[in-house]
Amino acid sequence: MSKLPSSLSLSCSNRKREDILESAQYFMGVALLAARRSRDPSTQVGACIVNEEKKIVGVGYNGMPNGCGDDSLPWRRSGDNPVETKYFYVCHAELNAIMNKNSADLKGCTIYVTLFPCNECSKLLIQAENGSAAQSLCG
Ligand SMILES: Nc1ccn([C@H]2C[C@H](O)[C@@H](COP(=O)(O)O)O2)c(=O)n1
Ligand SMILES: [Zn+2]
């Protein structure tokens, strides 16, 4: 291999950068970025699923179901009837991350979520993983 011209070797360091994000910080950063896509006016949640090879296999954020207008469904937290609140409709970030996954199952995966998973999502994560509980890291 040819040597770099002396002008370049003077200006470029030969050392790799050491002050980089740890992988967990990076994956939680992806979850935090995903949360910024959420239309929920009060709480934005992001989730990032990572496999054993440290590859991202699914990302999601909380939002209304596909095809249901963000403008036509309620975003309020309370109402006389549950159907008048967002809770009746909204899909949680973890559910969306699972549905967006690009692998058959989530065996050995870790999910990075910006909020603690609810009981329903915990059940989904367990089933999607095929038996045992998926790890959760919460920010
Ligand atoms: N693990 C979680 C917990 C909550 N969410 C979503 C569901 C709602 O859109 C919002 C919570 O709204 P709040 O009661 O704080 O007004 O966060 C989720 O996606 N994942
Ligand atoms: Zn949930």
Side-chain angles (χ1 to χ4, degrees):
M1 202 171 15
S2 64
K3 281 175 100 179
L4 283 173
S6 56
S7 57
L8 262 183
S9 58
L10 280 175
S11 56
C12 301
S13 165
N14 192 31
R15 292 230 177 93
K16 68 176 184 186
R17 291 179 60 236
E18 298 292 349
D19 186 21
I20 60 163
L21 291 180
E22 296 293 330
S23 56
Q25 293 173 315
Y26 168 59
F27 296 130
M28 188 54 92
V30 170
L32 286 163
L33 190 63
R36 291 177 62 174
R37 291 276 302 152
S38 174
R39 302 258 185 208
D40 190 317
S42 50
T43 306
Q44 302 81 44
V45 187
C48 174
I49 304 174
V50 179
N51 71 12
E52 283 170 317
E53 295 170 4
K54 298 221 178 293
K55 292 195 174 119
I56 294 174
V57 295
V59 176
Y61 55 89
N62 55 327
M64 292 303 176
N66 292 340
C68 301
D70 286 328
D71 297 319
S72 46
L73 293 174
W75 283 109
R76 70 179 72 86
R77 295 167 119 169
S78 56
D80 292 338
N81 189 320
V83 299
E84 294 168 3
T85 75
K86 65 179 176 182
Y87 301 111
F88 201 79
Y89 308 96
V90 83
C91 298
H92 285 195
E94 301 92 318
L95 164 73
N96 284 329
I98 293 170
M99 296 310 292
N100 291 338
K101 76 182 187 308
N102 60 9
S103 61
D105 62 44
L106 299 182
K107 262 199 190 80
C109 286
T110 300
I111 186 163
Y112 294 79
V113 194
T114 61
L115 207 64
F116 203 83
C118 72
N119 65 313
E120 291 299 326
C121 289
S122 300
K123 288 189 281 184
L124 281 175
L125 289 164
I126 291 166
Q127 298 304 83
E129 211 229 9
N130 235 354
S132 59
Q135 255 181 287
S136 296
L137 291 177
C138 301

PDB file of all heavy atoms in Angstrom, residues 44-65:
ATOM      1  N   GLN A  44     -44.604  11.257  24.609  1.00  0.00           N
ATOM      2  CA  GLN A  44     -44.031  10.675  23.381  1.00  0.00           C
ATOM      3  C   GLN A  44     -43.101   9.540  23.808  1.00  0.00           C
ATOM      4  O   GLN A  44     -42.224   9.740  24.648  1.00  0.00           O
ATOM      5  CB  GLN A  44     -43.239  11.719  22.588  1.00  0.00           C
ATOM      6  CG  GLN A  44     -44.042  12.949  22.180  1.00  0.00           C
ATOM      7  CD  GLN A  44     -44.169  13.968  23.297  1.00  0.00           C
ATOM      8  OE1 GLN A  44     -43.204  14.264  23.988  1.00  0.00           O
ATOM      9  NE2 GLN A  44     -45.358  14.498  23.484  1.00  0.00           N
ATOM     10  N   VAL A  45     -43.327   8.362  23.233  1.00  0.00           N
ATOM     11  CA  VAL A  45     -42.551   7.179  23.622  1.00  0.00           C
ATOM     12  C   VAL A  45     -41.898   6.577  22.373  1.00  0.00           C
ATOM     13  O   VAL A  45     -42.516   6.519  21.306  1.00  0.00           O
ATOM     14  CB  VAL A  45     -43.453   6.115  24.298  1.00  0.00           C
ATOM     15  CG1 VAL A  45     -42.623   4.967  24.849  1.00  0.00           C
ATOM     16  CG2 VAL A  45     -44.286   6.742  25.406  1.00  0.00           C
ATOM     17  N   GLY A  46     -40.669   6.142  22.533  1.00  0.00           N
ATOM     18  CA  GLY A  46     -39.968   5.475  21.432  1.00  0.00           C
ATOM     19  C   GLY A  46     -39.419   4.138  21.894  1.00  0.00           C
ATOM     20  O   GLY A  46     -39.135   3.938  23.087  1.00  0.00           O
ATOM     21  N   ALA A  47     -39.298   3.202  20.957  1.00  0.00           N
ATOM     22  CA  ALA A  47     -38.769   1.872  21.277  1.00  0.00           C
ATOM     23  C   ALA A  47     -37.868   1.398  20.148  1.00  0.00           C
ATOM     24  O   ALA A  47     -38.135   1.655  18.974  1.00  0.00           O
ATOM     25  CB  ALA A  47     -39.919   0.887  21.478  1.00  0.00           C
ATOM     26  N   CYS A  48     -36.790   0.730  20.545  1.00  0.00           N
ATOM     27  CA  CYS A  48     -35.815   0.236  19.568  1.00  0.00           C
ATOM     28  C   CYS A  48     -35.434  -1.187  19.973  1.00  0.00           C
ATOM     29  O   CYS A  48     -34.969  -1.409  21.099  1.00  0.00           O
ATOM     30  CB  CYS A  48     -34.604   1.173  19.594  1.00  0.00           C
ATOM     31  SG  CYS A  48     -33.225   0.616  18.579  1.00  0.00           S
ATOM     32  N   ILE A  49     -35.657  -2.141  19.078  1.00  0.00           N
ATOM     33  CA  ILE A  49     -35.359  -3.548  19.378  1.00  0.00           C
ATOM     34  C   ILE A  49     -34.056  -3.925  18.688  1.00  0.00           C
ATOM     35  O   ILE A  49     -33.864  -3.649  17.493  1.00  0.00           O
ATOM     36  CB  ILE A  49     -36.508  -4.465  18.909  1.00  0.00           C
ATOM     37  CG1 ILE A  49     -37.835  -4.039  19.546  1.00  0.00           C
ATOM     38  CG2 ILE A  49     -36.203  -5.925  19.238  1.00  0.00           C
ATOM     39  CD1 ILE A  49     -39.056  -4.803  19.029  1.00  0.00           C
ATOM     40  N   VAL A  50     -33.186  -4.565  19.469  1.00  0.00           N
ATOM     41  CA  VAL A  50     -31.834  -4.878  18.993  1.00  0.00           C
ATOM     42  C   VAL A  50     -31.580  -6.375  19.175  1.00  0.00           C
ATOM     43  O   VAL A  50     -31.902  -6.933  20.231  1.00  0.00           O
ATOM     44  CB  VAL A  50     -30.808  -4.062  19.826  1.00  0.00           C
ATOM     45  CG1 VAL A  50     -29.386  -4.370  19.394  1.00  0.00           C
ATOM     46  CG2 VAL A  50     -31.097  -2.566  19.714  1.00  0.00           C
ATOM     47  N   ASN A  51     -31.006  -7.013  18.154  1.00  0.00           N
ATOM     48  CA  ASN A  51     -30.763  -8.459  18.293  1.00  0.00           C
ATOM     49  C   ASN A  51     -29.396  -8.753  18.924  1.00  0.00           C
ATOM     50  O   ASN A  51     -28.656  -7.824  19.289  1.00  0.00           O
ATOM     51  CB  ASN A  51     -30.964  -9.187  16.949  1.00  0.00           C
ATOM     52  CG  ASN A  51     -29.867  -8.873  15.932  1.00  0.00           C
ATOM     53  OD1 ASN A  51     -28.828  -8.297  16.268  1.00  0.00           O
ATOM     54  ND2 ASN A  51     -30.099  -9.242  14.685  1.00  0.00           N
ATOM     55  N   GLU A  52     -29.079 -10.037  19.034  1.00  0.00           N
ATOM     56  CA  GLU A  52     -27.844 -10.433  19.718  1.00  0.00           C
ATOM     57  C   GLU A  52     -26.585  -9.964  18.998  1.00  0.00           C
ATOM     58  O   GLU A  52     -25.528  -9.843  19.604  1.00  0.00           O
ATOM     59  CB  GLU A  52     -27.814 -11.961  19.887  1.00  0.00           C
ATOM     60  CG  GLU A  52     -28.724 -12.416  21.009  1.00  0.00           C
ATOM     61  CD  GLU A  52     -28.922 -13.927  21.049  1.00  0.00           C
ATOM     62  OE1 GLU A  52     -29.105 -14.520  19.972  1.00  0.00           O
ATOM     63  OE2 GLU A  52     -28.888 -14.504  22.148  1.00  0.00           O
ATOM     64  N   GLU A  53     -26.732  -9.688  17.708  1.00  0.00           N
ATOM     65  CA  GLU A  53     -25.576  -9.163  16.950  1.00  0.00           C
ATOM     66  C   GLU A  53     -25.485  -7.650  17.028  1.00  0.00           C
ATOM     67  O   GLU A  53     -24.741  -7.030  16.277  1.00  0.00           O
ATOM     68  CB  GLU A  53     -25.681  -9.591  15.475  1.00  0.00           C
ATOM     69  CG  GLU A  53     -25.583 -11.070  15.269  1.00  0.00           C
ATOM     70  CD  GLU A  53     -25.931 -11.477  13.844  1.00  0.00           C
ATOM     71  OE1 GLU A  53     -26.179 -10.601  12.984  1.00  0.00           O
ATOM     72  OE2 GLU A  53     -25.960 -12.672  13.600  1.00  0.00           O
ATOM     73  N   LYS A  54     -26.295  -7.091  17.905  1.00  0.00           N
ATOM     74  CA  LYS A  54     -26.346  -5.627  18.096  1.00  0.00           C
ATOM     75  C   LYS A  54     -26.796  -4.907  16.829  1.00  0.00           C
ATOM     76  O   LYS A  54     -26.304  -3.832  16.479  1.00  0.00           O
ATOM     77  CB  LYS A  54     -25.009  -5.080  18.610  1.00  0.00           C
ATOM     78  CG  LYS A  54     -24.582  -5.610  19.963  1.00  0.00           C
ATOM     79  CD  LYS A  54     -23.981  -4.526  20.827  1.00  0.00           C
ATOM     80  CE  LYS A  54     -23.581  -5.003  22.217  1.00  0.00           C
ATOM     81  NZ  LYS A  54     -24.699  -5.376  23.054  1.00  0.00           N
ATOM     82  N   LYS A  55     -27.738  -5.554  16.126  1.00  0.00           N
ATOM     83  CA  LYS A  55     -28.338  -4.918  14.955  1.00  0.00           C
ATOM     84  C   LYS A  55     -29.773  -4.544  15.287  1.00  0.00           C
ATOM     85  O   LYS A  55     -30.496  -5.323  15.932  1.00  0.00           O
ATOM     86  CB  LYS A  55     -28.317  -5.862  13.757  1.00  0.00           C
ATOM     87  CG  LYS A  55     -26.898  -6.098  13.279  1.00  0.00           C
ATOM     88  CD  LYS A  55     -26.868  -6.716  11.891  1.00  0.00           C
ATOM     89  CE  LYS A  55     -25.446  -6.792  11.405  1.00  0.00           C
ATOM     90  NZ  LYS A  55     -25.002  -8.137  11.134  1.00  0.00           N
ATOM     91  N   ILE A  56     -30.193  -3.371  14.832  1.00  0.00           N
ATOM     92  CA  ILE A  56     -31.561  -2.917  15.083  1.00  0.00           C
ATOM     93  C   ILE A  56     -32.516  -3.709  14.196  1.00  0.00           C
ATOM     94  O   ILE A  56     -32.315  -3.789  12.976  1.00  0.00           O
ATOM     95  CB  ILE A  56     -31.673  -1.400  14.796  1.00  0.00           C
ATOM     96  CG1 ILE A  56     -30.827  -0.616  15.798  1.00  0.00           C
ATOM     97  CG2 ILE A  56     -33.133  -0.950  14.850  1.00  0.00           C
ATOM     98  CD1 ILE A  56     -30.739   0.880  15.531  1.00  0.00           C
ATOM     99  N   VAL A  57     -33.524  -4.335  14.824  1.00  0.00           N
ATOM    100  CA  VAL A  57     -34.480  -5.131  14.038  1.00  0.00           C
ATOM    101  C   VAL A  57     -35.885  -4.530  14.052  1.00  0.00           C
ATOM    102  O   VAL A  57     -36.769  -5.012  13.340  1.00  0.00           O
ATOM    103  CB  VAL A  57     -34.517  -6.612  14.496  1.00  0.00           C
ATOM    104  CG1 VAL A  57     -33.181  -7.291  14.230  1.00  0.00           C
ATOM    105  CG2 VAL A  57     -34.885  -6.740  15.972  1.00  0.00           C
ATOM    106  N   GLY A  58     -36.112  -3.495  14.842  1.00  0.00           N
ATOM    107  CA  GLY A  58     -37.423  -2.850  14.843  1.00  0.00           C
ATOM    108  C   GLY A  58     -37.406  -1.550  15.638  1.00  0.00           C
ATOM    109  O   GLY A  58     -36.728  -1.467  16.666  1.00  0.00           O
ATOM    110  N   VAL A  59     -38.136  -0.576  15.133  1.00  0.00           N
ATOM    111  CA  VAL A  59     -38.233   0.728  15.810  1.00  0.00           C
ATOM    112  C   VAL A  59     -39.697   1.149  15.770  1.00  0.00           C
ATOM    113  O   VAL A  59     -40.407   0.861  14.789  1.00  0.00           O
ATOM    114  CB  VAL A  59     -37.349   1.784  15.085  1.00  0.00           C
ATOM    115  CG1 VAL A  59     -37.510   3.166  15.718  1.00  0.00           C
ATOM    116  CG2 VAL A  59     -35.868   1.384  15.112  1.00  0.00           C
ATOM    117  N   GLY A  60     -40.183   1.798  16.815  1.00  0.00           N
ATOM    118  CA  GLY A  60     -41.566   2.274  16.802  1.00  0.00           C
ATOM    119  C   GLY A  60     -41.780   3.414  17.788  1.00  0.00           C
ATOM    120  O   GLY A  60     -40.938   3.676  18.648  1.00  0.00           O
ATOM    121  N   TYR A  61     -42.914   4.063  17.642  1.00  0.00           N
ATOM    122  CA  TYR A  61     -43.308   5.137  18.566  1.00  0.00           C
ATOM    123  C   TYR A  61     -44.821   5.081  18.722  1.00  0.00           C
ATOM    124  O   TYR A  61     -45.523   4.448  17.900  1.00  0.00           O
ATOM    125  CB  TYR A  61     -42.827   6.508  18.069  1.00  0.00           C
ATOM    126  CG  TYR A  61     -43.269   6.853  16.673  1.00  0.00           C
ATOM    127  CD1 TYR A  61     -44.483   7.509  16.423  1.00  0.00           C
ATOM    128  CD2 TYR A  61     -42.478   6.507  15.564  1.00  0.00           C
ATOM    129  CE1 TYR A  61     -44.889   7.810  15.135  1.00  0.00           C
ATOM    130  CE2 TYR A  61     -42.872   6.809  14.275  1.00  0.00           C
ATOM    131  CZ  TYR A  61     -44.080   7.461  14.062  1.00  0.00           C
ATOM    132  OH  TYR A  61     -44.484   7.760  12.781  1.00  0.00           O
ATOM    133  N   ASN A  62     -45.340   5.717  19.776  1.00  0.00           N
ATOM    134  CA  ASN A  62     -46.777   5.645  20.020  1.00  0.00           C
ATOM    135  C   ASN A  62     -47.556   6.516  19.038  1.00  0.00           C
ATOM    136  O   ASN A  62     -47.151   7.641  18.725  1.00  0.00           O
ATOM    137  CB  ASN A  62     -47.120   6.005  21.472  1.00  0.00           C
ATOM    138  CG  ASN A  62     -46.579   7.362  21.917  1.00  0.00           C
ATOM    139  OD1 ASN A  62     -45.527   7.790  21.483  1.00  0.00           O
ATOM    140  ND2 ASN A  62     -47.295   8.024  22.792  1.00  0.00           N
ATOM    141  N   GLY A  63     -48.647   5.952  18.562  1.00  0.00           N
ATOM    142  CA  GLY A  63     -49.465   6.696  17.605  1.00  0.00           C
ATOM    143  C   GLY A  63     -50.759   5.966  17.325  1.00  0.00           C
ATOM    144  O   GLY A  63     -50.970   4.836  17.768  1.00  0.00           O
ATOM    145  N   MET A  64     -51.634   6.630  16.589  1.00  0.00           N
ATOM    146  CA  MET A  64     -52.922   6.029  16.221  1.00  0.00           C
ATOM    147  C   MET A  64     -52.701   4.889  15.223  1.00  0.00           C
ATOM    148  O   MET A  64     -51.700   4.893  14.492  1.00  0.00           O
ATOM    149  CB  MET A  64     -53.839   7.095  15.618  1.00  0.00           C
ATOM    150  CG  MET A  64     -54.292   8.154  16.609  1.00  0.00           C
ATOM    151  SD  MET A  64     -55.140   7.394  18.020  1.00  0.00           S
ATOM    152  CE  MET A  64     -55.441   8.827  19.065  1.00  0.00           C
ATOM    153  N   PRO A  65     -53.628   3.923  15.171  1.00  0.00           N
ATOM    154  CA  PRO A  65     -53.455   2.797  14.235  1.00  0.00           C
ATOM    155  C   PRO A  65     -53.343   3.280  12.793  1.00  0.00           C
ATOM    156  O   PRO A  65     -53.899   4.321  12.428  1.00  0.00           O
ATOM    157  CB  PRO A  65     -54.742   1.985  14.432  1.00  0.00           C
ATOM    158  CG  PRO A  65     -55.256   2.373  15.772  1.00  0.00           C
ATOM    159  CD  PRO A  65     -54.852   3.791  15.983  1.00  0.00           C
TER     160      PRO A  65
END
